[in-house]
């Protein structure tokens, strides 16, 4: 029996000890009218060989594309050691470190993760992870509502150039608590937030949510926006790409006082694309707000002999103690993905991470230059960007995407699906994983496709 | 030793980073980072050795018996992990057009069908990323259902006092007030108290069945009737689904919506605290409100259904579609077992729990509910030992670690003082269970003969008991260079 | 239990109240602090906050538990024990003295539900 070690003799002896005749007798407290006899609508089990062939065939159907699509999930090189170590059974098959003495491996690793993440963001403290970037932002919004006692009403101002899926996720997760979400508009030419910030009264807003880079890859003037928000007693929630933070100014250094809560998608740090998860959300803040944080926190302490050790701390914020008054309902988080990220950051170091950011960015410049040299293609927004940019095509972006798919290239994201004013727009990402050959192949494919599509239109 | 403490300035792993990394001269200087973050500077071997050594300080299913009640720490099959980690799946970008995602979409669709059949509910969304998010989805769906009918008076959610902490926390996140329902002395919901608590303000109830007390709620159909009669709906917390696979179904019990913990029932690894996955299943009444995206099938192709196709959906709970890799794993696990194997899960999990319970009772341990059948887990209490010997459940748990078994869940559920919630799971052998019984007998004897030994435990682990008070009062959450 | 101060009034949720003219000083009882264990943090109400009987007024947190402190009276917060921010252990050490939580300027009548020392002691003995 797959995964069940019992012999017939075992079963007999065990039933005898219990004092029943059959295993089925153990279900005698389930009322008869609720009992079902089988699951026969399902198929019979497969063995490992058959399953391997089946899954390999499925994986092959999904793989093999050269990925130029980003939009919140980024392909980076993952060093071999990352998942070899993260997949060790002692990390893979442990659970939440409730028994600290038997979980020092996970606990110390999480403390090291918290440290690296806090330093990367320029803030004082990081939690041990949330589910993903979008849900981490929703948690950051709820946290800001708890933390900003100066605000009169729970209103949040959200950058209009935030990833639309993030916006949808916040709406789903915070709407039931009566929080109002309003939009900070972006400029149609730059793709960045309007430099002229709206007039608001002190205490009108709980927080302002800024994405750096924004959904279009554009780099925001974060200092001005941060200071403006703070002048109006609003907290600043930064949503950032962690790889970009090796290159761009860290949120803790934005403006006079720095961002208050920083969150985002941790996937670029050593976690594969994998159809969208498991990834992990990160969340960092200032010490002043630590008790309002959602999720687990690891603290360093000593044992009864004075030896250094690590344990879950400030647990009284959490649902298993605080129940209805917890800071969040989160219990299971994304520990394994964090294990991978910690190993990834250790292997690369600060300069390696900065090189990944720079190389990705340089590659994106090369492709952008090549594409905008083609007739009919222009760069949609004129702001500085980080490793991701938007082009406007002379045809629907989807026709380009379809044409490149035939050459096994995943060209990018068709933005017309998200907003009608971005008709014909394609969001393209290039990371350090692409060679100049890859980039030229892409540009040539676009050139050919355009010739084809435009000729077809003229015909 | 922390990784930062083996760091040396200027040490680098050039193999892992790109060769060519020119400065980003096009980005204005005031937007660039001035100081590098404080990361360790270590060699590849140092990283590998450091984290390998750390891993060895963990207890895990692969290395120890791990009878953590309510967590279903069963064997995580290696074949599942390997096949979900095939290159084609790992490379696959979540926003790839459906035409080039059929392998994943088919796997997700199949899992939706399997879960629907197992639960007796008509539709499934796989997007919630853990049990607690599945709970959120379910309760938010109930909220959306009432509001869609213009029924704005339903502001209260009922939660039994034995419930997981996530239940009340979730209902509050969804904007509800909590009413706690007491449990009677047999471990069932107190029906009189329930009848007194319901009314036009009742939005619904959250229940686990078998309950967190390790027993099957026998009057579940009565409970469903009481709630439905006042217009409320029933939410099933799937934490204990392992106990009833193929034996009975939440849909038949009268539940309207539920979540399933793939990292429990479907053997996906717990990863030191996650990732999990908490798909949500609903009946026809609540189906329109399921979170998006959902996988659809037109008989030929699989595709994503989003807000366009599901206008009443509570919306999106993650940037993409939840923990896809876990969904793949659950698919492979379920298809490894098939219809026969899935039924065996509950049978042998229940056999193991009842056997362990019988042996411990015979050995003189105190059961919390001696007259009841165990589900896939059960509770023993050390209330007597705490009083007579001054040895608590915590002390005994710590001593178990010395003997190389992970402690059961302690002090949960809160209703039973000094308790262990023990869940052996179906993948443990009789020998392993017998060994656990022997260890517990030995520890109990130690508690009688030399209580100090137990109160000071553990003795054989990388650290001894930690100073949690210092950890909470002198918060040290981030290593600083000055230390 | 012989340490229970006789001049104070008590609640079933283990708060104590000292009435002096129109001011009430509020804390948690010896019994409550012993159940919670070593306290690590106290969240006190803002001064000027209006409280009604039964409102959440403060939170006391130990390593493994957190408890709400409910207002036993109606009134407005006029002072909080700022010393607790650095030294929450004062509540453990001296719950009826240096471990007081906050003071309220009373509005209206005292609630009838307040217990005398004898009644509170009787309640504890029943538990």
């Amino acid at each position: 029996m797959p995964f069940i070690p019992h012999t017939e003799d075992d079963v007999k002896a065990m039933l005898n000890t219990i004092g029943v005749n059959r295993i089925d007798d153990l279900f005698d407290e389930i009322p008869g009218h609720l009992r079902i006899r089988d699951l026969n609508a399902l198929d019979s089990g497969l063995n490992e060989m058959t399953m391997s062939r089946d899954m390999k065939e499925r994986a092959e159907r999904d793989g093999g594309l050269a990925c130029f699509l980003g939009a919140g999930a980024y392909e980076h090189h993952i060093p071999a050691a990352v998942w070899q170590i993260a997949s060790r059974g002692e990390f893979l098959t442990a659970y939440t470190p409730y028994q600290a003495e038997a979980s020092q491996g996970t606990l110390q690793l999480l403390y090291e993760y918290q440290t690296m993440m806090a330093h990367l963001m320029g803030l004082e403290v990081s939690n041990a992870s949330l589910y993903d970037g979008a849900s981490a932002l929703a948690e950051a919004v709820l946290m800001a509502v708890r933390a900003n006692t100066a605000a009169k009403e729970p209103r949040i101002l959200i950058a209009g150039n935030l990833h639309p899926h993030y916006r949808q996720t916040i709406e789903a997760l915070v709407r039931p608590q009566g929080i109002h979400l309003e939009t900070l508009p972006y400029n149609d030419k730059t793709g960045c937030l309007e430099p002229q910030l709206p007039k608001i009264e002190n205490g009108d807003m709980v927080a302002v949510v800024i994405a750096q880079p924004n959904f279009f890859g554009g780099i925001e003037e974060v200092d001005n926006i941060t200071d403006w928000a703070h002048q109006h007693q609003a907290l600043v929630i930064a949503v950032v790409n962690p790889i970009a933070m090796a290159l761009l100014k860290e949120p803790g250094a934005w403006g006079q006082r720095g961002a208050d809560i920083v969150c985002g998608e941790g996937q670029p740090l050593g976690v594969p694309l994998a159809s969208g998860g498991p990834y992990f959300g990160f969340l960092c803040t200032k010490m002043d707000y630590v008790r309002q944080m959602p999720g687990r926190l690891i603290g360093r302490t000593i044992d009864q002999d004075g030896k250094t050790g690590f344990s879950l701390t400030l647990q009284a914020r959490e649902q298993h103690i605080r129940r209805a008054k917890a800071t969040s309902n989160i219990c299971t988080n994304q520990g394994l993905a964090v294990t991978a990220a910690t190993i990834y950051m250790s292997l690369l170091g600060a300069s390696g991470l900065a090189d990944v950011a720079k190389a990705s960015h340089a590659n994106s410049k090369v492709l952008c230059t090549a594409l905008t040299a083609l007739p009919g293609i222009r760069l949609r927004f004129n702001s500085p960007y980080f490793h991701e940019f938007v082009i406007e095509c002379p045809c629907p972006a989807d026709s380009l995407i379809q044409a490149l798919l035939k050459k096994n290239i995943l060209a990018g994201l068709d933005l017309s699906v998200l907003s009608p004013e971005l008709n014909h727009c394609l969001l393209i990402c290039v990371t350090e994983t692409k060679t100049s050959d890859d980039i030229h192949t892409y540009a040539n494919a676009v050139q050919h496709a355009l010739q084809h599509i435009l000729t077809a239109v003229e015909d | 030793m922390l990784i930062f403490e083996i760091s040396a300035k200027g040490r680098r792993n050039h193999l892992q980073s790109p060769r060519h990394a020119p400065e980003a001269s096009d980005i204005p200087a005031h937007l660039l980072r001035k100081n590098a973050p404080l990361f360790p500077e270590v060699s590849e071997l140092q990283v590998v050795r450091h984290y390998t050594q750390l891993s060895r300080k963990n207890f895990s299913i692969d290395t120890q018996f791990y009878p953590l009640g309510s967590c279903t720490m069963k064997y995580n099959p290696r074949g599942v992990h390997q096949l979900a980690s095939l290159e084609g799946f790992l490379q696959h970008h979540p926003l790839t057009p459906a035409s080039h995602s059929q392998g994943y979409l088919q796997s997700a669709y199949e899992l939706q069908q399997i879960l629907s059949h197992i639960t007796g509910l008509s539709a499934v969304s796989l997007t919630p990323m853990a049990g607690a998010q599945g709970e959120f989805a379910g309760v938010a769906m109930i909220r959306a259902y009432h509001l869609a009918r213009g029924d704005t008076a339903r502001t209260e959610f009922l939660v039994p006092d034995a419930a997981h902490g996530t239940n009340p926390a979730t209902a509050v996140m969804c904007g509800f007030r909590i009413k706690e329902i007491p449990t009677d002395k047999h471990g069932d919901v107190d029906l009189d108290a329930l009848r007194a608590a319901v009314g036009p303000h009742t939005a619904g109830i959250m229940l686990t069945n078998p309950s967190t007390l390790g027993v099957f709620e026998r009057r579940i159909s009565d409970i469903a009737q009481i709630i439905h009669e006042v217009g409320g709906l029933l939410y099933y917390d799937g934490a204990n689904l392992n106990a009833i696979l193929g034996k009975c179904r939440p849909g038949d019990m009268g539940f309207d919506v539920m979540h399933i913990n793939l990292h429990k029932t479907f053997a996906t690894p717990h990863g030191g605290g996650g990732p999990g996955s908490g798909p949500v299943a609903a009946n026809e009444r609540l189906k329109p409100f399921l979170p998006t995206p959902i996988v659809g099938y037109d008989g030929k192709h699989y595709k994503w259904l989003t807000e366009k196709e599901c206008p009443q959906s509570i919306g999106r709970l993650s940037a993409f579609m939840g923990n896809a890799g876990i969904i793949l794993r659950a698919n492979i696990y379920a298809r490894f077992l098939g219809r026969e194997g899935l039924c065996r899960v509950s049978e042998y999990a229940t056999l193991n729990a009842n056997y362990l319970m019988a042996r411990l009772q015979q050995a003189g341990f105190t059961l919390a509910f001696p007259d009841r059948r165990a589900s896939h887990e059960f509770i023993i209490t050390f209330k007597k030992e705490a009083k007579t010997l001054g040895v608590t459940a915590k002390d005994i748990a710590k001593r178990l670690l010395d003997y190389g078994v992970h402690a059961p869940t302690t002090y949960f559920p809160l209703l039973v003082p000094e308790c262990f919630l023990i869940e052996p799971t179906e993948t443990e052998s009789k020998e392993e269970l017998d060994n656990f019984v022997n260890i517990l007998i030995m520890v109990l004897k130690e508690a009688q003969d030399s209580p100090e030994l137990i109160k000071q435990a553990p003795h054989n682990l990388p650290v001894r008991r930690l100073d949690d008070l210092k950890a909470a009062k002198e918060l040290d959450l981030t290593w600083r260079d000055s230390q | 239990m012989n340490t229970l101060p006789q001049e104070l009034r008590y609640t079933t949720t283990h708060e104590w109240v000292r009435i002096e003219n129109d001011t009430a000083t509020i804390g948690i009882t010896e019994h409550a602090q012993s159940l919670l264990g070593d306290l690590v943090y106290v969240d006190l109400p803002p001064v000027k906050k209006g409280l009604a009987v039964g409102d959440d007024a403060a939170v006391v947190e130990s390593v493994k538990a957190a408890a709400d402190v409910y207002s036993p009276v109606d009134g407005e917060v006029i002072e909080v024990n700022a010393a607790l921010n650095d030294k929450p252990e004062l509540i453990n050490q001296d719950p009826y003295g240096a471990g007081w939580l906050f003071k309220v300027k009373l509005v209206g009548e005292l609630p009838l539900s307040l217990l005398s020392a004898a009644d509170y002691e009787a309640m504890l003995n029943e538990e």
Side-chain angles (χ1 to χ4, degrees), chain B residues 394 468-470 472-473, chain C residues 38-40 63-64 89:
Chain B
K394 178 179 175 173
D468 288 331
L469 183 62
K470 178 181 160 73
K473 285 185 81 171
Chain C
D38 292 324
L39 293 173
V40 295
V63 174
K64 293 275 156 77
E89 61 271 26

Side-chain angles (χ1 to χ4, degrees), chain C:
Chain C
M1 288 300 154
N2 50 8
T3 55
L4 211 57
Q6 296 299 306
E7 70 282 13
L8 303 183
R9 307 287 293 276
Y10 298 86
T11 67
T12 54
T13 48
H14 309 292
E15 291 89 7
W16 58 258
V17 194
R18 175 178 287 116
I19 311 288
E20 286 156 318
N21 303 319
D22 62 349
T23 302
T25 306
I26 289 141
I28 64 169
T29 66
E30 163 67 27
H31 177 74
Q33 74 78 21
S34 72
L35 282 184
L36 285 162
D38 292 324
L39 293 173
V40 295
Y41 181 72
V42 183
D43 188 15
L44 295 166
V47 171
K48 289 193 181 160
K49 181 176 176 169
L51 291 173
V53 172
D55 281 357
D56 290 353
V59 182
V60 288
E61 191 182 301
S62 68
V63 174
K64 293 275 156 77
D68 291 304
V69 179
Y70 305 104
S71 181
V73 294
D74 296 323
E76 183 185 293
V77 178
I78 50 170
E79 192 183 344
V80 298
N81 186 357
L84 297 178
N85 290 330
D86 290 331
K87 288 190 152 189
E89 61 271 26
L90 289 174
I91 299 172
N92 297 111
Q93 292 159 1
D94 188 7
Y96 302 112
W100 66 276
L101 296 175
F102 57 95
K103 293 185 184 180
V104 170
K105 186 172 183 343
L106 291 167
V107 175
E109 301 291 310
L110 282 180
L112 297 169
S113 57
L114 288 179
L115 305 175
S116 68
D119 291 343
Y120 180 66
E121 193 164 345
M123 186 190 93
L124 291 183
N125 289 335
E126 267 176 42
E127 278 191 359

Side-chain angles (χ1 to χ4, degrees), chain A residues 1-3 6 14 17 26-29 31 33-36 39-46 51 54-55 58-59 61-62 64 69-70 73 79 88-95 99 101-103 105-106 108 111-112 114-116 119-120 124 131-132 165 168-169 172-173 177 220-221 245 247-250 273-278 298-305 307 310-311 313 319 323-324 329 333-336 342 346-347 351-352 355 358-359 361-362 365, chain B residues 1-4 12-13 16 18 20 22-23 26 30-33 37 39 50-52 54-55 58-62 66 71 73 76-77 88-93 101-104 106-107 110 117 129-130 132 136 163 165-166 169-170 172-173 218 221 243 247-248 252 269-275 314 316 318-319 321-325 332 335-336 338-340 344 350 352 362 372-373 398 427-428 456 462 464-468 471-472 476-480 483:
Chain A
M1 294 181 286
F3 319 128
H6 301 61
M14 292 167 85
T17 304
L26 300 173
F27 295 92
D28 56 4
E29 287 193 4
H33 70 281
L34 294 178
R35 282 296 305 272
I36 57 169
L39 292 172
N40 281 351
L42 301 179
D43 293 334
S44 282
L46 302 179
M51 184 72 81
D54 184 46
M55 292 315 286
R58 292 185 194 191
R61 272 194 273 162
D62 289 3
L69 172 53
R88 283 181 63 91
E90 299 92 327
F91 284 133
L92 187 70
T93 71
Y95 198 26
Q99 293 290 346
E101 300 88 344
S103 315
T106 291
Q108 181 176 334
Y111 177 83
E112 293 178 358
Q114 288 175 185
T115 298
M116 288 183 222
H119 287 303
L120 184 58
E124 290 162 302
Y131 304 130
D132 80 334
H165 289 178
Q168 291 165 13
T169 305
L173 290 173
Q177 298 189 43
E220 298 285 351
E221 290 289 343
M245 292 306 109
L247 180 63
L248 303 181
K249 185 186 275 186
E250 69 276 24
L273 291 170
S275 301
I298 313 306
R300 183 162 66 157
T301 181
I302 51 172
D303 74 359
Q304 61 193 85
D305 297 336
K307 188 173 168 188
F310 303 84
S311 68
T313 194
Q319 49 75 27
R323 298 178 74 85
N329 72 343
N333 57 25
Q334 304 284 115
L336 192 66
T342 309
S346 302
L347 273 173
S351 48
D355 283 353
K358 287 178 202 164
H361 183 61
K365 299 302 281 191
Chain B
M1 195 85 126
L2 291 166
I3 188 99
F4 308 100
R12 274 206 60 180
N13 288 306
Q16 277 82 19
H20 179 65
E23 294 303 319
D26 55 310
H30 71 281
L31 296 169
L32 292 174
R33 184 166 194 137
F39 278 17
H50 177 74
Y51 289 110
T52 301
L54 282 190
S55 77
N58 273 359
F59 279 30
S60 67
I61 301 173
D62 278 5
Y66 211 125
C71 297
M73 302 296 282
N76 307 145
F89 292 132
L90 296 187
Q91 286 174 350
H92 183 250
H93 191 287
S101 308
Q102 291 294 300
Y104 175 72
Q106 181 187 349
S107 306
E110 281 171 357
H117 186 64
M129 291 174 285
F136 176 90
T166 49
T170 296
V172 167
M173 271 185 95
R218 294 169 286 195
S221 298
K247 299 298 154 195
C248 57
D252 301 334
H270 286 71
I314 58 160
R316 186 178 266 289
S318 62
M321 53 286 290
N323 282 335
I332 300 167
R335 292 194 304 129
F336 266 148
R339 55 193 181 200
E340 304 86 1
R344 277 196 295 263
T350 304
N352 276 359
Q362 286 157 16
R372 298 293 306 263
R373 197 71 84 193
K398 298 297 181 198
T427 58
E428 296 297 335
Q456 297 297 317
R464 299 186 61 203
R465 281 194 209 185
L466 292 160
D467 187 343
D468 288 331
D476 174 358
L477 307 171
T478 313
W479 185 81
R480 304 272 157 198
Q483 287 166 337

